Every structure is written in C-alpha cells, then in structure tokens.
Amino acid sequence: MGYVGQREEPINLDDAPLHPRYCYLPETGEERYHSFLGVPIIHQRRAMGVLVVQHTAKRKFDEGEEAFLVTIAAQLAAVLAHAQLSGSLKIIPGQRQEMVRFEGLPASPGAAIGKARVIMPPADLDSVPDRECESIEEERVVFLAALKSVRDDIRAVGLKLANRVSVQEQALFDAYIQMLDEESLGAEVLKHIDEGQWAQGALAFVVRRHVKYLEKVEDSYLRERAADIRDLGRRVLSYLQAGGEAPREYEDNTLLVGEELSPALLGEVPKEKLAGLISVKGSSNSHLAILARAMGIPVVMGLTDLPFAQLEGQQLILDGYRGHVISNPDDLIRHQYEVFIEEDKALSDALEAEAGLPCITRDGHRIPLLLNTGLAADHARALAYGAEGVGLYRTEVQFMLAERFPSEQEQVSLYRKQLSAFAPREVTMRTLDIGGDKPLPYFPIAEDNPVLGWRGIRFTLDHPEIFLTQVRAMLRASEGLNNLRILLPMISSVREVEEARALIRRAWVELRQNEGLRIAKPLVGAMIEVPAAVFQIPALAERVDYLSVGSNDLTQYMLAVDRDNPRVARLYSGYHPSMLQVLAKIAIDAHAARLPVSICGELAGDPAGAILLLGMGYQSLSMNLTSLPRVKAVIRRVTLNQARDLLTRVLKCASTDQVVGHLGVFMGELGLGWLSGPKS
Ligand code: PEP
Ligand code: MG
C-alpha cells in the first residue's frame, strides 16, 4: 500500500517517477506512465488498500477526477470490508475452507468448540443453509412431490376464482404453473440436486438467483415478477419443510447458528448436547442471551457479517468472552481453545467448591451478592452459591415469551414461585420494562428512536391497566411471604415515581380493603439508569425506599452509545472514566441521603468491576448466576482498603484504556488474572 496507505490521504502527482518515494512495480508495466493519483480505501479508520489511476501525460489529475476517485474508494471500502469479514472471499461450499474470524458481541461467557447447526425460520428462502444431500434420488422425489403440491394448490385457487376473474387474469395462474414446471424452474433446481445439494438448498439457490436478476432489470413488469418467483419459491419450500425434516437429532457439542434465534430452541435441544448459540441479530440484552446466561451456555450475538447459511456442519469455535466466532480453526488455535476450555472448566469447579462460603473481604467486610433472573431460574444452584436474594427479577422476559399479555392469575403463579423459592430472602421485582430493545411480539411499538422512546415506566404509566394488573399480581403473590420489593425502571423524574407509587398504593389498599388480604407494604425503589436521575437523588430519597443502578442503560445514555449496535460496541464500556465518576457520585449521594443503594447492571458481575463497586460503597451487587462464584472468589481475596486504593487510582485516569490497564495490573498482582476470562 506504500506511501498512500501510510499517509491515509490522496496523492496526486504530475510526474510520479520524480517523487522521492516512487516505487517502481515492474509487473504493472507502469514505466509508460507519468501522472499518478492514489487514493486510500479506508474502512473504519483502517487502510485496506489503495485505488490508483495513472496516465502517460505529465499532468496532475484535476479536482473533479480526484473527488470521483475518493467517492469510489469510500464506496468500495464498505463492500470490501463486508466481503472480507463475511469470509465470502474465502468460504466456498464444498471446498477445504480457510480459517475466518467473525467479530460479534459477547452475550454469555464461556467458550466452546462444536459443529454448526443452522436454524432457519420456516419458509424463509434467505436462511436455508447449503447442505450436501445423503441421497440424490430421495431429494429428487421430495422436490418433485412439493412442486406438484404447489401446482395443485394454484390450480385449485384458479378454479375457485374462475367465475370472478377475467380470462387474462386466469392466464396468470397458468403462467405460474408453467414456471413451476419440471422443464422450467424445476429443471434448474433438479440440476443442482444432481450436483449433490439437498432439495431445500437447491431451490433457495435457484430462486434467489432469479430474484436477484429480475430485481435489477429496467422493465417494471419484469421487475415485479421477482416477487412472484419469491412467493412460489416460499410455497415450495414450506412443502419441503413440512414433509421434510425428520425430528432433529442433535450431535454432542452442537452450536446453534441462525439469523435470529428464538428462546424456544433452548427447550428443544437437550442441554447436554448444546454447546453454544450464535446469532446474527441481537445483543447481550436480548432475552435469549439473558436466558442462556442463566443456564451457563456461551453465546455470541450481533455477528452482522456472518454468512450463517453457509456454515452448516462446519467446525466452529465460539468465544463468548470476547464475542468471536472462528470457522475452520487451524490446529494451533484449536489447541489453544481446547486448553482454555479445560482451564475454564477447572476454574468453575474450583469456584464451585468455595461457592457456599460467605461473601466477605479479607478484612471482614460483608457485601451481599444477589441474583439477576428473568425466568424460573435454577433456584437450588443460586441458593447453593449463596445468593442472598434476588436483586433484579426482569418480569418482561415472561411477557416476551408469551403470545399475549399474561393474565393476573398467570402472573400471580409465576411471581409466587419466585418469591417462595427465595423466602425469607427478599426478591426485587421490576415492573414491566418493555420497549427499546425489548419489544413484545404481540404489542409492536414502531419508533424511529426506540431507546429514547416509549419504554419502561413511560409505557406502563400510559397503560395503568397493565401496570395495576402486574402490581396486584405481585402483591397477591407475596401474601404471607412478605419478601417482595418493587423496582421502577427508566425513572427520569420524580413525577414518574409519584404516579407509580400512587398506583401501587391504590392496588395495595384495594386488596386489603376489598379482599381482606393481609399483605405487607412492599418497599419501592427506583432504578438509576437515566443520567437525569443521577442528579435527583436527594429528591428521590424522599419518595423511594432504595435505589438500584442499571449500569447497562446508564452506560448507553451517558456515552450516547446504543447498547445493541455492533458498530459502536467498542465505544460501550462501564470503565469509561465518566462512568466511574458517575457511579461513585451515585453511591456518595445515596449515602448522604441515607438511601440504600445497590447495582444490578452487568458491571456488578464483572470481577474487576465488582471490586471498584465495593470500593465505592455499594451495599449489594446483583448479577447472573454464572458470575456469582467468580465475583465471590475475587471479593474473598481482597481487602476493602485495597478496593478503595484501586478506585482512587482509576478515578484519576483520563481514558478507558488507562482504567483497564490499572485493573489488569491489579488483578495480576493479586494473582487474580485467571478470573477475568481468557487473555487477549
Ligand atoms: C440495566 O439497564 O443495567 C439493567 C439492569 O436493566 P436491563 O439490562 O434489563 O435494561
Ligand atoms: Mg435497564
């Protein structure tokens, strides 16, 4: 790339050979040329190559020519980067593959080596994986049967409409039937089957190719035929899928791969066979990730460049700590991960052995560890790990798994299970926090800016009937147990707290007066996850019983980084100096207002983060089940003073990198590096 790549700007010369950095490349035959214009191809700050034009005349390229080349280079950069990242320059079905590393978002910790099993949504031509067939003859038979079924369907519709449509319109049905003829589209698909592709893959390939071609043609009539072909293709595909796949057999170490995996899959694959999940869409906040974390299954999400349909049956490494997926690993990488997975397992076993011990620092300071959960989690394991209660029960997860709003009675039985499993320990139930990145399938909210939109408390206050039903269900469920705490998400003003408290009070009074239920008044807390709330702690103290910091959203709003957007994921860090300042301020202000404060964002479950939060004076830390033993192990190995000293040092840092550097040194000096996941 030479000088242009190094300078990262266009170089425009009238006589290149006279330039001191001129480098003659004999293979290009460039001795004939004098003028030279080189423009770097830059993607996300990285020079990927150089676009060069040369001319025999001794003249500089003019401004317009230069601007034109810059435009082409910028457009080319995104295309090349995608091709490189997606491995499409390297992945050729049926051939020995090269190793490719895909970068996504870590969504659940752990690493795994396994075989990809591509999951496709029904009748979706774009996600049908390439797969070699076992018997060409059988694939031909099922394909021809599916083709015939669709032809019969179309004929039947045609007949039904015979009296209602014109002769020309009738002809359309004939045209569709012809397209599906064994001599036409059918013949092309059969050709691919004969080459060894399974029927679904062959069909998807042929349909996609036709659609792609038709979408580009100028004639608008022909362009519209693309939709017809796609529709016919989907019909054939649904027949293939309906009659097709035998109940799935899952091999050991299965890695499920898909564009958007659904949580229901976790129930479908036997747990002992499932090694991990890889999803193109989503982030660590998707409910699939939350669920998988609770089950200890490693996950990588947000792999926007993953050519998932081509990965069927391939050997993959999933690194849920870093958010990487590696296809066709070479022997060295594979060996490194095998060793790491064994070490990780040994570490988990060792941590489990001390999981029952109390969570106290070396100098006797006690800090309760609480559980974050969203489902009927593994109560027994949580209690064995010494969870001193539930610090965050994300009620929306149950709402997201349902097909409609759950009824009051359905909610009562769910909540009762949680409350009684942990009684007499306290269970903090958060009122519905939907919207933003957590839409309900049966209540779509279309917004340009959902993260800044109608979510959390904003939604529930506008729907008091939903809020009241939920709160009543929580209160009923707590009867006789009296260990319920209610938590309000996305609070940005005291008014929201006042309104929510008034509704909670109304539900409580009505249940006592109208039904004579003897329910203790629950403590009500506010989440601090919107920057505005950080500056309202004294006012909030007069209105709530406790605070819980949602560092996940607070990071997103403080740093103006969408927590779900893989493009800016590297800017998202709870260790940003401003985040540390704000977290320290919250603890100081809460103490001054004599308001108990805990934290339930992911930072609390990070061993180094937990030490800093301990130093700041947080009274309890709430985290997912898998993080609990790690955090306990680290807290049992430090003193409160060491935590405070470390905090003092990092609060002086100017950048996230410096903070991370300090934390690395600290963990290393204490011999705790092994608690921070794999080394980079
Ligand atoms: C948070 O924002 O930190 C939090 C705990 O809530 P959620 O991740 O569910 O938005
Ligand atoms: Mg939140």
Side-chain angles (χ1 to χ4, degrees):
M1 255 188 298
Y3 191 54
V4 180
Q6 201 183 355
R7 289 202 49 91
E8 297 187 338
E9 61 179 352
I11 305 284
N12 189 349
L13 305 169
D14 52 359
D15 200 355
L18 297 183
H19 193 272
R21 293 288 303 270
Y22 176 71
C23 173
Y24 170 60
L25 301 174
E27 64 274 21
T28 61
E30 63 181 338
E31 56 276 12
R32 289 180 288 142
Y33 303 116
H34 287 278
S35 63
F36 171 100
L37 173 58
V39 174
I41 303 172
I42 296 182
H43 181 71
Q44 291 195 335
R45 305 184 185 186
R46 189 171 63 87
M48 310 182 69
V50 178
L51 204 57
V52 175
V53 287
Q54 291 172 286
H55 202 284
T56 45
K58 283 187 193 171
R59 67 154 179 99
K60 265 194 161 188
F61 286 89
D62 69 26
E63 255 181 44
E65 290 165 331
E66 188 174 317
F68 179 65
L69 209 63
V70 168
T71 312
I72 291 187
Q75 288 174 352
L76 211 55
V79 178
L80 280 176
H82 180 79
Q84 201 173 51
L85 284 171
S86 72
S88 48
L89 299 177
K90 295 178 183 165
I91 294 183
I92 304 156
Q95 289 192 11
R96 167 88 190 116
Q97 314 290 342
E98 268 187 57
M99 183 168 96
V100 186
R101 186 189 298 265
F102 303 98
E103 293 195 17
L105 302 172
S108 176
I113 302 177
K115 216 174 190 190
R117 194 73 194 257
V118 177
I119 300 295
M120 36 179 179
D124 180 3
L125 289 160
D126 293 328
S127 51
V128 175
D130 288 331
R131 199 182 277 173
E132 272 178 40
C133 65
E134 277 165 21
S135 152
I136 290 180
E137 206 34 57
E138 267 174 40
E139 295 300 306
R140 285 182 70 99
V141 171
V142 290
F143 173 66
L144 290 174
L147 212 54
K148 178 171 179 315
S149 303
V150 178
R151 279 201 306 258
D152 291 349
D153 287 350
I154 294 176
R155 244 180 235 121
V157 177
L159 282 179
K160 247 195 223 157
L161 295 178
N163 303 330
R164 285 189 261 158
V165 297
S166 66
V167 178
Q168 286 96 322
E169 283 159 341
Q170 265 291 323
L172 254 183
F173 289 98
D174 296 335
Y176 289 152
I177 291 170
Q178 269 168 24
M179 273 192 222
L180 287 171
D181 202 83
E182 282 153 41
E183 301 304 311
S184 158
L185 208 66
E188 283 181 57
V189 177
L190 286 170
K191 187 167 156 274
H192 281 276
I193 293 179
D194 290 343
E195 284 165 7
Q197 194 42 257
W198 67 321
Q200 296 188 32
L203 171 78
F205 176 82
V206 170
V207 171
R208 283 198 304 252
R209 201 182 54 194
H210 277 276
V211 168
K212 215 168 173 181
Y213 169 74
L214 286 172
E215 278 173 349
K216 281 201 201 121
V217 296
E218 298 231 328
D219 183 295
S220 65
Y221 175 80
L222 279 179
R223 245 193 346 262
E224 279 160 27
R225 299 290 69 77
D228 294 343
I229 299 235
R230 184 173 276 281
D231 179 56
L232 291 175
R234 288 187 53 182
R235 284 165 193 269
V236 180
L237 185 61
S238 14
Y239 270 104
L240 287 174
Q241 291 178 339
E245 291 206 277
R248 284 183 168 229
E249 288 280 321
Y250 291 98
E251 289 179 33
D252 287 348
N253 294 319
T254 292
L255 296 172
L256 292 185
V257 184
E259 186 170 26
E260 197 164 18
L261 297 179
S262 99
L265 279 169
L266 288 171
E268 195 187 298
V269 188
K271 188 164 183 278
E272 66 283 3
K273 304 273 183 196
L274 184 59
L277 304 168
I278 297 167
S279 178
V280 172
K281 289 191 181 160
S283 75
S284 64
N285 311 299
S286 313
H287 50 294
L288 176 77
I290 293 170
L291 241 129
R293 279 202 292 274
M295 294 168 72
I297 299 168
V299 184
V300 177
M301 301 185 99
L303 288 142
T304 39
D305 291 303
L306 191 77
F308 64 96
Q310 295 167 31
L311 295 179
E312 176 73 8
Q314 285 202 27
Q315 180 71 238
L316 300 180
I317 291 178
L318 178 165
D319 183 339
Y321 288 104
R322 295 197 189 93
H324 289 175
V325 170
I326 302 168
S327 71
N328 298 295
D330 61 28
D331 290 345
L332 183 66
I333 290 279
R334 204 190 142 84
H335 177 68
Q336 279 173 355
Y337 270 94
E338 278 165 356
V339 172
F340 170 68
I341 290 168
E342 262 185 36
E343 284 173 0
D344 206 34
K345 164 101 180 53
L347 171 61
S348 301
D349 293 347
L351 293 177
E352 207 142 316
E354 54 180 273
L357 301 174
C359 187
I360 31 178
T361 58
R362 269 177 40 220
D363 51 348
H365 180 82
R366 211 178 76 79
I367 177 155
L369 301 189
L370 307 171
L371 182 71
N372 282 0
T373 171
L375 276 172
D378 194 345
H379 304 133
R381 208 147 59 97
L383 291 172
Y385 282 0
E388 298 192 32
V390 173
L392 174 64
Y393 176 63
R394 289 179 162 102
T395 57
E396 61 276 5
V397 177
Q398 292 293 348
F399 280 66
M400 287 157 87
L401 297 180
E403 278 161 12
R404 51 167 173 76
F405 283 105
S407 69
E408 185 166 326
Q409 201 41 50
E410 284 166 342
Q411 292 186 53
V412 173
S413 54
L414 280 171
Y415 303 157
R416 180 83 190 173
K417 269 192 209 132
Q418 284 288 331
L419 291 164
S420 49
F422 286 91
R425 297 167 193 81
E426 288 181 321
V427 174
T428 304
M429 296 201 161
R430 181 170 71 183
T431 61
L432 195 57
D433 184 21
I434 54 153
D437 60 307
K438 292 182 276 196
L440 290 181
Y442 45 89
F443 195 93
I445 302 174
E447 289 180 316
D448 284 345
N449 236 331
V451 168
L452 300 181
W454 204 35
R455 58 169 297 198
I457 199 76
R458 304 170 181 182
F459 170 84
T460 45
L461 287 178
D462 285 350
H463 274 286
E465 78 290 8
I466 294 173
F467 188 77
L468 279 168
T469 306
Q470 182 174 45
V471 169
R472 260 199 315 270
M474 289 178 179
L475 292 169
R476 280 186 202 283
S478 74
E479 197 194 3
L481 298 171
N482 301 334
N483 58 343
L484 166 69
R485 292 165 29 122
I486 295 180
L487 181 59
L488 306 171
M490 283 293 290
I491 293 296
S492 60
S493 72
V494 292
R495 185 159 178 185
E496 288 163 340
V497 174
E498 287 163 357
E499 287 177 10
R501 282 212 86 144
L503 290 171
I504 295 172
R505 188 173 160 71
R506 185 178 127 190
W508 181 73
V509 168
E510 282 174 6
L511 287 176
R512 283 172 70 98
Q513 285 179 355
N514 303 348
E515 300 187 32
L517 298 184
R518 297 175 58 78
I519 302 165
K521 211 171 183 180
L523 295 182
V524 177
M527 287 198 74
I528 303 289
E529 52 183 347
V530 176
V534 174
F535 299 92
Q536 293 240 276
I537 291 176
L540 286 170
E542 292 171 19
R543 293 162 176 87
V544 293
D545 305 307
Y546 66 95
L547 297 178
S548 182
V549 178
S551 54
N552 306 341
D553 275 314
L554 190 56
T555 309
Q556 144 163 287
Y557 295 124
M558 278 286 298
L559 305 183
V561 177
D562 181 344
R563 66 194 252 191
D564 277 329
N565 183 344
R567 275 204 197 118
V568 287
R570 70 199 152 83
L571 300 177
Y572 181 99
S573 170
Y575 293 134
H576 188 291
S578 308
M579 275 310 296
L580 297 179
Q581 296 288 347
V582 89
L583 291 168
K585 175 182 166 54
I586 295 169
I588 291 168
D589 289 1
H591 292 165
R594 297 182 180 284
L595 199 56
V597 62
S598 65
I599 176 158
C600 59
E602 292 298 299
L603 194 64
D606 179 302
I611 298 178
L612 294 178
L613 296 166
L614 170 76
M616 288 177 194
Y618 280 86
Q619 284 139 327
S620 59
L621 308 176
S622 193
M623 63 203 67
N624 64 57
L625 187 58
T626 3
S627 302
L628 239 140
R630 281 170 197 264
V631 169
K632 184 182 287 187
V634 79
I635 286 178
R636 287 180 56 81
R637 285 164 173 78
V638 295
T639 64
L640 186 57
N641 272 342
Q642 280 175 321
R644 287 184 177 149
D645 282 353
L646 175 68
L647 178 67
T648 312
R649 268 178 282 143
V650 297
L651 283 176
K652 292 188 191 129
C653 291
S655 71
T656 310
D657 288 347
Q658 283 174 15
V659 174
V660 171
H662 272 290
L663 297 179
V665 171
F666 178 85
M667 297 291 270
E669 277 172 4
L670 282 186
L672 297 175
W674 47 278
L675 276 169
S676 315
K679 285 159 204 66
S680 296

